[in-house]
Amino acid sequence: MQAQDATQLLEGVPLPLVLIGPDERIRVANVPAQRLFGAASVARHYVMAMRQPALLDAIEGAIRLDRPGRARYIITGPSREVTYRATVTPVRIHGESCALCAFEDITEQEQMGAIRRDFVANVSHELRTPLTALLGFIETLQGAARDDPAARSRFLGIMAREAGRMNRLVQDLLSLSRVESEERVRPKTPVDVTAVIGQAIAALRPMAEAAGVEIQRQGEAGPILLPGDPDQLTQVFHNLIENAVKYGASGKLVTVGISRDPEGLARLGPAVRIEVVDRGEGIDAIHLPRLTERFYRVDNHRSREKGGTGLGLAIVKHIVNRHRGRFLIESELGQGSRFIVTLPLA
């Protein structure tokens, strides 16, 4: 096979491919490979283009020992890190020992693997604390506190609270899994979003009154119909209003504004905009981009004290995405927070 033939063959493959000759110089690099290593890499020694030890060892083994190999090749860019799986295969061309290097972009797979590992670690951590507390109190009740009614009553109250926390976490995990599995399927059932919001406010009013917080509804009285899943939309507004009451209670007022927005989702046509606003202490801007991440909390201790699982806003984001809407969070320290949901009407 001549160099020209090899070039034509490699150009037909969309993956970056590099052919290295027995003189350890790059003989052929297809266009994707030239984007990766530069066009000037052709005819140069492979060490000058590929400087990572694991890949260099794999290439040397292919050329000198006729041994296939694999290596991870990582490129660190200004905004992100890209990871390639490099497969090095020994080939013979006109009796000469060469090495063919193929590079497969596995960045997304690596990221998904990291997300799964973080998720498992977070779930394990969240469950370990209440489980440890339950086991400790059970052991105490079986021993020293067996005949102490006051201690038994106090411990059982704590155990009930920790069991409730685990139950909320499991329910939120199931909700998140269900929402993610349905995210690509847009709901089509006509739903009156004003009625859904009204039901969420009514359900939360006793909690708000106990916390000394007033919930005010403003704007459109309805009905406003849009294609949606009534149960999931109820979950969205219940979560947002409950959070506003819990974490913005110092402001003593939560407003829920409903308005039509003809330009909010220009590509999708007319929309409805719902704003849940509290007058609490607000959130530092550094936290805003990460608030919808699973298990991300601004204040871990405070969130757990109030029964939070760290999954509420992640669930809200996925439900809004399923409805082809937008979810925004605006906040300033000392000025309260504003949670904005925009949903298309058609």
Side-chain angles (χ1 to χ4, degrees), residues 75-82:
I75 297 178
T76 303
S79 59
R80 68 179 188 131
E81 189 178 82
V82 181

Side-chain angles (χ1 to χ4, degrees), residues 15 20 28 43 48 51 58 124 152 154 159 164 203 232 299 312 337:
L15 294 177
I20 300 170
V28 181
M48 302 300 294
R51 299 176 182 271
S124 301
R152 185 166 61 243
R154 181 164 57 89
M159 291 168 66
Q232 289 187 352
D299 185 336
S337 304

Side-chain angles (χ1 to χ4, degrees), residues 40-221:
S41 61
V42 178
R44 298 176 67 187
H45 196 285
Y46 69 85
V47 173
M48 302 300 294
M50 310 168 186
R51 299 176 182 271
Q52 297 185 19
L55 179 56
L56 300 183
D57 290 344
I59 294 171
E60 185 175 3
I63 294 175
R64 297 186 179 181
L65 304 176
D66 203 33
R67 182 182 64 199
R70 279 190 173 187
R72 291 171 80 249
Y73 189 80
I74 301 172
I75 297 178
T76 303
S79 59
R80 68 179 188 131
E81 189 178 82
V82 181
T83 304
Y84 290 89
R85 180 192 293 120
T87 302
V88 184
T89 307
V91 294
R92 298 192 70 82
I93 299 178
H94 297 305
E96 297 179 327
S97 296
C98 302
L100 180 64
C101 305
F103 297 85
E104 179 186 0
D105 188 344
I106 59 170
T107 306
E108 187 173 343
Q109 297 175 33
E110 296 270 308
Q111 291 173 344
M112 292 302 297
I115 290 171
R116 282 194 295 269
R117 288 191 296 273
D118 289 346
F119 182 70
V120 170
N122 281 321
V123 171
S124 301
H125 176 74
E126 293 293 332
L127 287 173
R128 184 174 57 217
T129 303
L131 277 173
T132 301
L134 284 172
L135 291 171
F137 286 124
I138 289 171
E139 183 178 345
T140 304
L141 288 171
Q142 289 175 333
R146 177 181 299 174
D147 300 320
D148 186 340
R152 185 166 61 243
S153 177
R154 181 164 57 89
F155 290 162
L156 286 173
I158 297 172
M159 291 168 66
R161 187 167 65 248
E162 294 296 336
R165 178 178 161 191
M166 283 196 296
N167 184 59
R168 287 191 299 273
L169 177 60
V170 171
Q171 291 300 321
D172 279 354
L173 287 169
L174 291 173
S175 292
L176 185 60
S177 175
R178 185 167 57 250
V179 170
E180 287 183 326
S181 68
E182 298 172 344
E183 193 166 353
R184 296 182 182 276
V185 182
R186 186 176 181 181
K188 298 179 180 179
T189 305
V191 178
D192 180 4
V193 70
T194 58
V196 169
I197 293 170
Q199 292 166 5
I201 293 174
L204 291 167
R205 203 175 292 282
M207 185 190 83
E209 291 174 352
V213 177
E214 180 185 1
I215 303 176
Q216 288 185 358
R217 176 172 164 173
Q218 301 174 346
E220 294 269 351

